[in-house]
Amino acid sequence: MSLRRVESSARRRRSPWSLIGLVGLVLILAGCASNAPLDTFQPEGQEAQTIMDLVLPVFLVAAVVFVVVEGAIVFILWKFRSRKDDDPDEVPTQVHGNTRLEIGWTVLPAVILAPIAVLTVLTIFELEQRDDDALRVEVIGNQWWWEFRYDIEGNGEADIITATEMVVPAGRQIDLAITSNDVIHSFWIPRLNGKRDAVPGRTHTWSITADEPGYYWGQCTEFCGLSHAEMRMRVVALPPDEYEEWVQTQLQPAPAPQTASQARGQELFSQQCASCHRIDGLEAQPDPDDHPLVAGVGPDLTHFASRRAYAGGIFELYDPDTLQVRRGQLEAWLRDPVAEKPMAPDEGRGMPNLGLTEPQIDDLVDYLLSTADGPVWTGPRND
Ligand code: CUA
Protein backbone atom coordinates (compact mmCIF):
# COMPACT_ATOMS: atom_id res chain seq x y z
CA MET A 1 0.00 0.00 0.00
CA SER A 2 1.43 3.38 -0.92
CA LEU A 3 1.96 5.99 1.75
CA ARG A 4 -0.66 8.27 0.19
CA ARG A 5 -3.33 5.57 0.27
CA VAL A 6 -2.57 4.81 3.92
CA GLU A 7 -2.89 8.51 4.75
CA SER A 8 -6.14 9.02 2.89
CA SER A 9 -7.77 5.93 4.39
CA ALA A 10 -6.71 7.10 7.86
CA ARG A 11 -8.27 10.50 7.15
CA ARG A 12 -11.46 8.85 5.95
CA ARG A 13 -11.63 6.80 9.13
CA ARG A 14 -11.03 9.85 11.35
CA SER A 15 -13.47 12.29 9.71
CA PRO A 16 -16.78 11.07 11.24
CA TRP A 17 -15.19 11.24 14.67
CA SER A 18 -13.93 14.78 14.19
CA LEU A 19 -17.43 15.78 13.03
CA ILE A 20 -19.04 14.17 16.09
CA GLY A 21 -16.43 15.83 18.30
CA LEU A 22 -17.09 19.22 16.70
CA VAL A 23 -20.88 18.91 17.17
CA GLY A 24 -20.36 17.87 20.79
CA LEU A 25 -18.03 20.80 21.41
CA VAL A 26 -20.52 23.28 19.92
CA LEU A 27 -23.33 21.84 22.09
CA ILE A 28 -21.22 22.07 25.24
CA LEU A 29 -20.01 25.61 24.47
CA ALA A 30 -23.61 26.68 23.72
CA GLY A 31 -24.45 25.83 27.33
CA CYS A 32 -21.82 28.26 28.60
CA ALA A 33 -23.64 31.50 27.64
CA SER A 34 -23.02 33.96 30.47
CA ASN A 35 -25.88 36.24 29.45
CA ALA A 36 -28.94 33.95 29.16
CA PRO A 37 -31.99 35.85 30.46
CA LEU A 38 -34.33 33.02 29.45
CA ASP A 39 -32.43 30.36 31.44
CA THR A 40 -34.96 28.08 33.14
CA PHE A 41 -32.15 26.53 35.22
CA GLN A 42 -31.70 29.77 37.18
CA PRO A 43 -34.82 29.80 39.39
CA GLU A 44 -35.39 33.16 41.10
CA GLY A 45 -38.70 32.56 42.85
CA GLN A 46 -40.59 29.90 44.81
CA GLU A 47 -42.48 28.43 41.82
CA ALA A 48 -39.37 28.12 39.65
CA GLN A 49 -37.53 26.60 42.63
CA THR A 50 -40.36 24.06 43.13
CA ILE A 51 -39.94 22.92 39.52
CA MET A 52 -36.15 22.85 39.86
CA ASP A 53 -36.50 20.62 42.93
CA LEU A 54 -38.31 18.10 40.75
CA VAL A 55 -36.13 18.46 37.67
CA LEU A 56 -32.80 17.80 39.37
CA PRO A 57 -33.59 14.41 41.00
CA VAL A 58 -35.45 13.24 37.86
CA PHE A 59 -32.49 14.29 35.73
CA LEU A 60 -30.13 12.47 38.08
CA VAL A 61 -32.17 9.24 37.90
CA ALA A 62 -32.39 9.56 34.10
CA ALA A 63 -28.62 10.07 33.92
CA VAL A 64 -27.95 6.90 35.96
CA VAL A 65 -30.38 4.90 33.77
CA PHE A 66 -28.70 6.30 30.65
CA VAL A 67 -25.20 5.39 31.79
CA VAL A 68 -26.22 1.86 32.91
CA VAL A 69 -28.22 1.06 29.73
CA GLU A 70 -25.70 2.59 27.29
CA GLY A 71 -22.83 0.99 29.21
CA ALA A 72 -24.53 -2.42 29.00
CA ILE A 73 -25.17 -2.00 25.26
CA VAL A 74 -21.56 -1.04 24.54
CA PHE A 75 -20.23 -3.86 26.75
CA ILE A 76 -22.47 -6.50 25.10
CA LEU A 77 -21.63 -5.24 21.60
CA TRP A 78 -17.95 -5.62 22.41
CA LYS A 79 -18.14 -8.93 24.28
CA PHE A 80 -20.28 -10.73 21.71
CA ARG A 81 -18.83 -9.18 18.55
CA SER A 82 -18.35 -11.65 15.67
CA ARG A 83 -14.90 -13.21 15.46
CA LYS A 84 -13.01 -14.68 12.55
CA ASP A 85 -13.34 -18.31 13.65
CA ASP A 86 -17.07 -18.04 14.53
CA ASP A 87 -19.40 -20.53 12.85
CA PRO A 88 -21.59 -18.28 10.61
CA ASP A 89 -24.57 -20.68 10.99
CA GLU A 90 -24.46 -20.81 14.78
CA VAL A 91 -27.56 -19.23 16.45
CA PRO A 92 -27.04 -17.60 19.89
CA THR A 93 -28.94 -18.89 22.93
CA GLN A 94 -32.49 -17.48 22.76
CA VAL A 95 -33.91 -15.62 25.80
CA HIS A 96 -37.43 -15.12 24.39
CA GLY A 97 -40.00 -16.40 26.88
CA ASN A 98 -37.64 -16.11 29.84
CA THR A 99 -40.23 -15.26 32.49
CA ARG A 100 -37.84 -14.03 35.12
CA LEU A 101 -36.11 -11.61 32.73
CA GLU A 102 -39.39 -10.31 31.30
CA ILE A 103 -40.92 -9.66 34.71
CA GLY A 104 -37.65 -7.99 35.71
CA TRP A 105 -37.55 -5.47 32.88
CA THR A 106 -41.25 -4.71 33.28
CA VAL A 107 -41.11 -4.16 37.02
CA LEU A 108 -37.85 -2.22 37.18
CA PRO A 109 -39.03 0.76 35.03
CA ALA A 110 -42.29 0.84 37.01
CA VAL A 111 -40.35 0.97 40.26
CA ILE A 112 -38.24 3.85 38.91
CA LEU A 113 -41.19 5.77 37.42
CA ALA A 114 -43.61 5.43 40.36
CA PRO A 115 -41.79 7.83 42.73
CA ILE A 116 -41.23 10.24 39.82
CA ALA A 117 -45.00 10.18 39.14
CA VAL A 118 -45.79 10.85 42.81
CA LEU A 119 -43.30 13.74 42.99
CA THR A 120 -44.64 15.18 39.72
CA VAL A 121 -48.26 15.17 40.93
CA LEU A 122 -47.21 16.71 44.26
CA THR A 123 -45.34 19.45 42.35
CA ILE A 124 -48.41 20.17 40.22
CA PHE A 125 -50.54 20.58 43.35
CA GLU A 126 -47.90 22.74 44.99
CA LEU A 127 -47.83 25.06 41.97
CA GLU A 128 -51.59 25.60 42.40
CA GLN A 129 -51.11 26.98 45.94
CA ARG A 130 -51.75 30.70 46.37
CA ASP A 131 -50.57 32.90 49.23
CA ASP A 132 -53.31 34.85 51.05
CA ASP A 133 -51.74 38.19 50.10
CA ALA A 134 -51.09 37.25 46.45
CA LEU A 135 -51.53 40.14 44.00
CA ARG A 136 -53.98 39.40 41.18
CA VAL A 137 -52.92 40.44 37.66
CA GLU A 138 -54.80 39.68 34.46
CA VAL A 139 -52.58 38.68 31.53
CA ILE A 140 -53.95 39.00 28.01
CA GLY A 141 -52.15 37.77 24.89
CA ASN A 142 -52.58 39.81 21.71
CA GLN A 143 -50.97 39.59 18.27
CA TRP A 144 -48.15 40.45 19.10
CA TRP A 145 -47.84 41.91 22.59
CA TRP A 146 -48.92 41.20 26.15
CA GLU A 147 -51.31 43.28 28.24
CA PHE A 148 -51.36 43.35 32.06
CA ARG A 149 -54.39 44.59 33.98
CA TYR A 150 -54.53 45.42 37.69
CA ASP A 151 -57.70 45.82 39.70
CA ILE A 152 -56.18 47.84 42.55
CA GLU A 153 -59.43 49.11 44.01
CA GLY A 154 -61.02 45.68 43.88
CA ASN A 155 -64.21 46.83 42.13
CA GLY A 156 -63.95 44.42 39.20
CA GLU A 157 -62.55 47.09 36.84
CA ALA A 158 -58.92 47.33 35.76
CA ASP A 159 -57.56 50.64 37.03
CA ILE A 160 -54.00 50.14 35.83
CA ILE A 161 -53.30 48.73 32.37
CA THR A 162 -49.78 48.20 31.04
CA ALA A 163 -48.26 46.46 28.05
CA THR A 164 -45.10 44.33 27.69
CA GLU A 165 -43.85 45.18 31.20
CA MET A 166 -45.59 43.67 34.23
CA VAL A 167 -44.56 45.63 37.32
CA VAL A 168 -44.79 43.63 40.54
CA PRO A 169 -43.59 43.88 44.15
CA ALA A 170 -40.56 41.65 44.82
CA GLY A 171 -41.10 38.86 47.35
CA ARG A 172 -44.90 38.78 46.95
CA GLN A 173 -46.71 36.09 44.99
CA ILE A 174 -48.50 37.24 41.84
CA ASP A 175 -51.72 35.38 41.05
CA LEU A 176 -52.12 35.43 37.27
CA ALA A 177 -55.31 35.00 35.24
CA ILE A 178 -54.16 34.36 31.68
CA THR A 179 -56.28 34.62 28.54
CA SER A 180 -56.03 35.74 24.91
CA ASN A 181 -57.81 38.23 22.67
CA ASP A 182 -57.23 36.42 19.40
CA VAL A 183 -55.21 33.21 18.92
CA ILE A 184 -53.41 30.87 21.32
CA HIS A 185 -50.26 32.32 22.89
CA SER A 186 -48.17 30.96 25.74
CA PHE A 187 -46.90 32.92 28.73
CA TRP A 188 -43.43 32.04 30.00
CA ILE A 189 -41.01 33.82 32.31
CA PRO A 190 -38.38 31.03 32.55
CA ARG A 191 -36.69 32.24 35.74
CA LEU A 192 -40.01 32.55 37.61
CA ASN A 193 -42.16 29.56 36.58
CA GLY A 194 -43.01 27.14 33.79
CA LYS A 195 -45.24 28.15 30.88
CA ARG A 196 -48.99 28.38 30.58
CA ASP A 197 -51.07 28.80 27.42
CA ALA A 198 -53.18 31.89 26.80
CA VAL A 199 -56.32 30.59 25.08
CA PRO A 200 -59.18 32.80 23.81
CA GLY A 201 -62.41 32.22 25.74
CA ARG A 202 -60.63 30.52 28.65
CA THR A 203 -58.88 31.79 31.75
CA HIS A 204 -55.88 29.84 32.98
CA THR A 205 -54.52 30.52 36.45
CA TRP A 206 -50.81 30.59 37.17
CA SER A 207 -48.50 32.30 39.61
CA ILE A 208 -45.04 33.83 39.75
CA THR A 209 -42.87 35.19 42.54
CA ALA A 210 -39.67 37.19 42.08
CA ASP A 211 -37.50 36.94 45.20
CA GLU A 212 -35.32 39.93 44.32
CA PRO A 213 -36.01 43.25 42.57
CA GLY A 214 -34.93 43.27 38.93
CA TYR A 215 -35.95 42.35 35.41
CA TYR A 216 -37.15 38.90 34.40
CA TRP A 217 -37.45 38.28 30.68
CA GLY A 218 -40.08 36.22 28.90
CA GLN A 219 -41.16 35.22 25.42
CA CYS A 220 -44.39 33.94 23.88
CA THR A 221 -43.85 30.22 23.35
CA GLU A 222 -46.84 29.19 21.25
CA PHE A 223 -46.60 29.95 17.53
CA CYS A 224 -49.11 32.77 16.98
CA GLY A 225 -48.37 34.13 13.53
CA LEU A 226 -45.99 36.55 11.83
CA SER A 227 -44.37 38.18 14.86
CA HIS A 228 -44.49 35.27 17.30
CA ALA A 229 -40.73 35.56 17.74
CA GLU A 230 -41.13 39.30 18.49
CA MET A 231 -43.73 38.81 21.22
CA ARG A 232 -41.71 39.37 24.36
CA MET A 233 -42.50 40.47 27.88
CA ARG A 234 -40.70 41.19 31.08
CA VAL A 235 -41.50 41.24 34.75
CA VAL A 236 -40.17 44.29 36.56
CA ALA A 237 -39.96 43.39 40.24
CA LEU A 238 -39.69 46.48 42.46
CA PRO A 239 -38.89 46.76 46.16
CA PRO A 240 -42.36 46.82 47.84
CA ASP A 241 -42.29 50.55 48.73
CA GLU A 242 -41.29 51.48 45.18
CA TYR A 243 -44.09 49.28 43.89
CA GLU A 244 -46.58 51.24 46.01
CA GLU A 245 -45.21 54.48 44.56
CA TRP A 246 -45.58 53.04 41.07
CA VAL A 247 -49.22 52.16 41.77
CA GLN A 248 -49.98 55.71 42.96
CA THR A 249 -48.34 57.22 39.85
CA GLN A 250 -50.10 54.86 37.48
CA LEU A 251 -53.50 55.61 39.01
CA GLN A 252 -53.12 59.25 37.92
CA PRO A 253 -54.29 60.25 34.44
CA ALA A 254 -51.52 61.06 31.96
CA PRO A 255 -49.96 64.50 32.61
CA ALA A 256 -51.35 67.44 30.61
CA PRO A 257 -49.18 68.68 27.71
CA GLN A 258 -46.65 71.34 28.76
CA THR A 259 -45.46 72.58 25.37
CA ALA A 260 -47.13 73.55 22.09
CA SER A 261 -45.58 70.52 20.41
CA GLN A 262 -46.88 68.14 23.10
CA ALA A 263 -50.35 69.69 22.75
CA ARG A 264 -50.28 69.17 18.98
CA GLY A 265 -49.12 65.60 19.60
CA GLN A 266 -52.02 65.00 21.99
CA GLU A 267 -54.51 66.37 19.47
CA LEU A 268 -53.03 64.13 16.78
CA PHE A 269 -53.12 61.14 19.13
CA SER A 270 -56.82 61.57 19.82
CA GLN A 271 -57.56 61.82 16.10
CA GLN A 272 -55.20 59.20 14.66
CA CYS A 273 -54.20 56.74 17.38
CA ALA A 274 -57.14 56.59 19.75
CA SER A 275 -59.19 54.16 17.67
CA CYS A 276 -56.78 51.44 18.88
CA HIS A 277 -54.81 52.97 21.75
CA ARG A 278 -56.09 54.48 24.96
CA ILE A 279 -54.62 57.19 27.15
CA ASP A 280 -56.50 57.58 30.40
CA GLY A 281 -58.08 61.04 30.75
CA LEU A 282 -57.90 61.80 27.03
CA GLU A 283 -61.08 62.34 25.04
CA ALA A 284 -60.79 60.33 21.86
CA GLN A 285 -62.37 61.37 18.57
CA PRO A 286 -61.65 58.28 16.57
CA ASP A 287 -63.61 56.61 13.86
CA PRO A 288 -63.55 53.00 15.15
CA ASP A 289 -63.87 51.72 11.59
CA ASP A 290 -60.63 53.44 10.59
CA HIS A 291 -58.28 50.69 11.72
CA PRO A 292 -60.31 47.77 13.05
CA LEU A 293 -58.15 45.27 14.89
CA VAL A 294 -58.84 41.57 15.27
CA ALA A 295 -58.27 41.87 19.01
CA GLY A 296 -60.01 45.25 19.14
CA VAL A 297 -57.24 47.02 21.02
CA GLY A 298 -53.67 48.24 20.90
CA PRO A 299 -51.60 48.77 24.04
CA ASP A 300 -52.82 51.26 26.66
CA LEU A 301 -50.32 54.13 26.47
CA THR A 302 -51.38 56.17 29.52
CA HIS A 303 -47.91 56.14 31.09
CA PHE A 304 -46.02 54.94 28.03
CA ALA A 305 -42.75 56.69 28.89
CA SER A 306 -42.54 54.93 32.26
CA ARG A 307 -41.90 51.64 30.41
CA ARG A 308 -38.54 50.62 29.06
CA ALA A 309 -39.80 48.54 26.19
CA TYR A 310 -42.42 48.92 23.46
CA ALA A 311 -43.57 47.26 20.22
CA GLY A 312 -44.00 43.91 21.96
CA GLY A 313 -40.71 44.29 23.80
CA ILE A 314 -38.42 44.39 20.76
CA PHE A 315 -37.33 48.01 21.23
CA GLU A 316 -35.84 49.70 24.26
CA LEU A 317 -37.24 53.20 24.81
CA TYR A 318 -34.18 54.13 26.87
CA ASP A 319 -30.53 53.28 26.42
CA PRO A 320 -29.97 50.58 29.08
CA ASP A 321 -26.77 52.23 30.35
CA THR A 322 -27.30 55.98 30.01
CA LEU A 323 -31.14 56.02 30.22
CA GLN A 324 -31.14 58.49 27.32
CA VAL A 325 -34.31 58.27 25.20
CA ARG A 326 -33.77 56.42 21.93
CA ARG A 327 -35.86 58.91 20.01
CA GLY A 328 -34.75 57.85 16.54
CA GLN A 329 -36.08 54.32 16.97
CA LEU A 330 -39.44 55.57 18.25
CA GLU A 331 -39.70 57.93 15.28
CA ALA A 332 -38.90 55.07 12.89
CA TRP A 333 -41.60 52.97 14.55
CA LEU A 334 -44.22 55.70 14.01
CA ARG A 335 -42.96 56.41 10.47
CA ASP A 336 -43.42 52.83 9.24
CA PRO A 337 -44.25 50.19 11.89
CA VAL A 338 -44.44 47.29 9.44
CA ALA A 339 -40.87 47.99 8.34
CA GLU A 340 -39.75 47.68 11.98
CA LYS A 341 -41.68 44.54 12.93
CA PRO A 342 -43.49 41.95 10.76
CA MET A 343 -47.23 42.67 11.01
CA ALA A 344 -50.34 42.43 8.84
CA PRO A 345 -52.38 45.58 9.52
CA ASP A 346 -54.48 45.00 6.38
CA GLU A 347 -55.86 41.92 8.11
CA GLY A 348 -56.30 43.81 11.37
CA ARG A 349 -53.21 42.33 12.95
CA GLY A 350 -50.69 44.89 14.12
CA MET A 351 -50.06 48.58 13.72
CA PRO A 352 -50.76 50.24 10.35
CA ASN A 353 -48.67 52.90 8.66
CA LEU A 354 -50.65 56.09 9.32
CA GLY A 355 -48.68 58.10 6.75
CA LEU A 356 -47.61 60.68 9.34
CA THR A 357 -45.53 63.66 8.23
CA GLU A 358 -42.16 64.37 9.90
CA PRO A 359 -43.52 67.33 11.96
CA GLN A 360 -46.43 65.13 13.06
CA ILE A 361 -44.02 62.37 14.15
CA ASP A 362 -42.01 64.94 16.13
CA ASP A 363 -45.12 66.20 17.92
CA LEU A 364 -46.38 62.70 18.64
CA VAL A 365 -43.01 61.60 20.08
CA ASP A 366 -42.89 64.76 22.24
CA TYR A 367 -46.35 63.96 23.54
CA LEU A 368 -45.66 60.25 24.19
CA LEU A 369 -42.44 61.09 26.05
CA SER A 370 -44.35 63.57 28.24
CA THR A 371 -46.40 60.72 29.75
CA ALA A 372 -43.71 60.03 32.39
CA ASP A 373 -40.42 61.47 33.64
CA GLY A 374 -38.44 58.36 32.80
CA PRO A 375 -38.39 54.59 33.20
CA VAL A 376 -39.95 53.25 36.34
CA TRP A 377 -37.01 51.20 37.61
CA THR A 378 -33.43 52.39 37.30
CA GLY A 379 -31.91 49.80 39.63
CA PRO A 380 -29.86 46.80 38.52
CA ARG A 381 -31.42 44.92 35.61
CA ASN A 382 -29.91 41.56 36.65
CA ASP A 383 -30.41 40.20 33.10
CU1 CUA B 1 -47.94 35.01 20.88
CU2 CUA B 1 -46.45 33.40 19.96
Side-chain angles (χ1 to χ4, degrees), residues 62-127:
V64 171
V65 170
F66 177 82
V67 169
V68 169
V69 171
E70 292 301 314
I73 289 174
V74 170
F75 173 75
I76 290 167
L77 280 177
W78 175 79
K79 185 166 167 57
F80 299 103
R81 68 192 184 281
S82 68
R83 295 183 174 83
K84 234 186 252 155
D85 46 356
D86 278 350
D87 173 4
D89 295 327
E90 191 195 313
V91 177
T93 321
Q94 297 299 294
V95 293
H96 177 77
N98 183 321
T99 313
R100 226 191 278 169
L101 267 184
E102 290 194 350
I103 289 178
W105 59 51
T106 306
V107 167
L108 191 64
V111 167
I112 295 173
L113 289 176
I116 291 179
V118 170
L119 292 176
T120 302
V121 171
L122 288 178
T123 302
I124 290 171
F125 279 113
E126 196 172 332
L127 289 176

Side-chain angles (χ1 to χ4, degrees), residues 251-268:
L251 286 173
Q252 307 299 318
Q258 301 295 313
T259 67
S261 160
Q262 290 170 10
R264 287 194 301 271
Q266 188 189 49
E267 178 71 15
L268 190 64

Side-chain angles (χ1 to χ4, degrees), residues 314-315 329 332-333 335-343 345 351 353:
I314 61 172
F315 299 127
Q329 178 60 64
W333 172 249
R335 195 173 291 125
D336 189 359
V338 181
E340 302 295 314
K341 174 178 177 177
M343 294 180 291
M351 179 153 146
N353 185 338

Side-chain angles (χ1 to χ4, degrees), residues 142 144 146 184-186 220-224 228 231:
N142 294 273
W144 291 275
W146 292 94
I184 299 178
H185 306 271
S186 190
C220 176
T221 54
E222 176 77 33
F223 180 69
C224 56
H228 158 66
M231 187 169 165

Side-chain angles (χ1 to χ4, degrees), residues 59-375:
F59 185 78
L60 212 67
V61 170
V64 171
V65 170
F66 177 82
V67 169
V68 169
V69 171
E70 292 301 314
I73 289 174
V74 170
F75 173 75
I76 290 167
L77 280 177
W78 175 79
K79 185 166 167 57
F80 299 103
R81 68 192 184 281
S82 68
R83 295 183 174 83
K84 234 186 252 155
D85 46 356
D86 278 350
D87 173 4
D89 295 327
E90 191 195 313
V91 177
T93 321
Q94 297 299 294
V95 293
H96 177 77
N98 183 321
T99 313
R100 226 191 278 169
L101 267 184
E102 290 194 350
I103 289 178
W105 59 51
T106 306
V107 167
L108 191 64
V111 167
I112 295 173
L113 289 176
I116 291 179
V118 170
L119 292 176
T120 302
V121 171
L122 288 178
T123 302
I124 290 171
F125 279 113
E126 196 172 332
L127 289 176
E128 294 303 319
Q129 301 293 322
R130 296 292 179 272
D131 298 344
D132 290 337
D133 70 337
L135 172 73
R136 180 92 166 171
V137 177
E138 249 186 284
V139 178
I140 303 167
N142 294 273
Q143 283 170 319
W144 291 275
W145 55 283
W146 292 94
E147 180 168 84
F148 306 105
R149 303 169 76 96
Y150 302 65
D151 177 11
I152 300 294
E153 280 155 16
N155 56 5
E157 301 255 317
D159 20 52
I160 298 176
I161 304 173
T162 70
T164 301
E165 286 188 351
M166 177 182 358
V167 178
V168 303
R172 186 165 156 200
Q173 191 182 44
I174 313 302
D175 180 18
L176 303 175
I178 303 174
T179 188
S180 165
N181 256 336
D182 35 48
V183 299
I184 299 178
H185 306 271
S186 190
F187 184 81
W188 192 30
I189 310 286
R191 286 183 179 183
L192 300 185
N193 203 343
K195 55 181 85 167
R196 183 130 298 190
D197 278 359
V199 180
R202 292 181 61 99
T203 300
H204 292 164
T205 58
W206 205 221
S207 70
I208 53 169
T209 313
D211 288 340
E212 297 295 330
Y215 282 73
Y216 302 90
W217 264 247
Q219 159 74 44
C220 176
T221 54
E222 176 77 33
F223 180 69
C224 56
L226 265 183
S227 263
H228 158 66
E230 318 280 14
M231 187 169 165
R232 303 173 199 163
M233 62 290 210
R234 57 184 71 165
V235 168
V236 184
L238 301 179
D241 53 331
E242 289 186 38
Y243 169 77
E244 289 307 326
E245 269 173 45
W246 177 82
V247 167
Q248 293 314 316
T249 323
Q250 297 286 314
L251 286 173
Q252 307 299 318
Q258 301 295 313
T259 67
S261 160
Q262 290 170 10
R264 287 194 301 271
Q266 188 189 49
E267 178 71 15
L268 190 64
F269 185 96
S270 62
Q271 291 162 357
Q272 294 272 348
C273 316
S275 56
C276 300
H277 296 280
R278 171 178 169 275
I279 284 191
D280 198 12
L282 180 65
E283 282 295 322
Q285 320 138 25
D287 176 355
D289 296 326
D290 260 2
H291 307 287
L293 283 173
V294 172
V297 290
D300 185 301
L301 299 177
T302 304
H303 295 281
F304 170 75
S306 71
R307 303 172 199 156
R308 290 237 197 164
Y310 61 102
I314 61 172
F315 299 127
E316 295 281 332
L317 184 56
Y318 300 95
D319 182 283
D321 298 318
T322 64
L323 296 186
Q324 291 295 308
V325 173
R326 287 180 168 170
R327 197 181 163 104
Q329 178 60 64
L330 184 55
E331 289 173 0
W333 172 249
L334 294 174
R335 195 173 291 125
D336 189 359
V338 181
E340 302 295 314
K341 174 178 177 177
M343 294 180 291
D346 295 344
E347 295 163 26
R349 294 164 200 276
M351 179 153 146
N353 185 338
L354 296 174
L356 301 168
T357 66
E358 289 307 310
Q360 284 179 322
I361 292 173
D362 265 344
D363 292 343
L364 209 45
V365 167
D366 281 345
Y367 172 59
L368 287 172
L369 293 177
S370 77
T371 52
D373 295 332

